[in-house]
Amino acid sequence: KSDYVVDTSDDEYEYVPAYDVEVSAGNGAVCLGESEPTKHLAFRQRWLTARGLQVKSLAALFTKGDSMTPTIPENAVVVINREQTIPLDGKVYVIRIDDRHYVKRVQWLIGGGLRLISDNKFYDSLDITKADMEANNIEICGQVIHASYDLPD
């Protein structure tokens, strides 16, 4: 029997649902469905309260690709606030285009379009026109508010 016991009766944590959906920090990852979370990640209630966040508005996703390095490295976990779906210049969002999810920094374009920017300068930006945003299957899933990752060995 372990001497290390975690008492969860007076739990100071909230549990953010994590979905088995890869968001691409590269050229896009096909959505595998996000109906049910595959696990939950623990965050301190104090941290959520200090940031004015509610668990019901949050989702954790897994990144693939290096286009957002150094800000978000490959194989990071990102937490998005699903209530923040109106992009603000310079902020990072998860954007769904058809069946693919991308994590990108955004910038509004004259005329109402949106530029998707990779922090890794090796990758080109992608411009989406206002007409494309209205006519196509494009959705702002939420603003990235947190990223966590393991340092390389």
Side-chain angles (χ1 to χ4, degrees):
K1 180 179 172 185
S2 171
D3 290 333
Y4 182 74
V5 178
V6 177
D7 179 10
T8 58
S9 59
D10 185 22
D11 206 342
E12 64 183 273
Y13 294 93
E14 294 281 349
Y15 298 90
V16 173
Y19 296 88
D20 223 357
V21 174
E22 288 181 344
V23 292
S24 178
N27 294 322
V30 175
C31 174
L32 302 174
E34 55 184 61
S35 54
E36 292 295 321
T38 55
K39 59 178 100 172
H40 289 78
L41 304 178
F43 288 84
R44 289 191 183 274
Q45 288 176 352
R46 217 177 291 164
W47 181 81
L48 294 167
T49 302
R51 299 209 49 193
L53 300 170
Q54 297 180 27
V55 166
K56 66 180 177 145
S57 304
L58 305 179
L61 305 166
F62 305 93
T63 64
K64 182 178 182 180
D66 66 350
S67 75
M68 287 304 289
T69 56
T71 309
I72 303 171
E74 188 166 10
N75 300 318
V77 175
V78 293
V79 176
I80 63 170
N81 183 346
R82 297 189 292 180
E83 290 184 354
Q84 300 295 328
T85 57
I86 299 173
L88 299 172
D89 277 348
K91 301 295 184 186
V92 178
Y93 292 83
V94 170
I95 298 108
R96 183 183 55 76
I97 302 174
D98 295 323
D99 61 353
R100 297 176 182 266
H101 290 75
Y102 300 86
V103 57
K104 299 290 179 195
R105 195 169 300 280
V106 301
Q107 178 183 8
W108 284 105
L109 300 172
I110 294 172
L114 199 62
R115 175 166 290 153
L116 306 182
I117 303 165
S118 298
D119 284 2
N120 183 341
K121 298 309 174 197
F122 179 78
Y123 293 90
D124 292 329
S125 297
L126 171 67
D127 289 350
I128 302 171
T129 66
K130 183 177 181 183
D132 283 342
M133 290 177 67
E134 293 169 351
N136 292 316
N137 194 6
I138 297 172
E139 174 186 15
I140 307 299
C141 299
Q143 183 179 350
V144 175
I145 58 160
H146 176 80
S148 61
Y149 50 89
D150 293 330
L151 295 175
D153 293 335

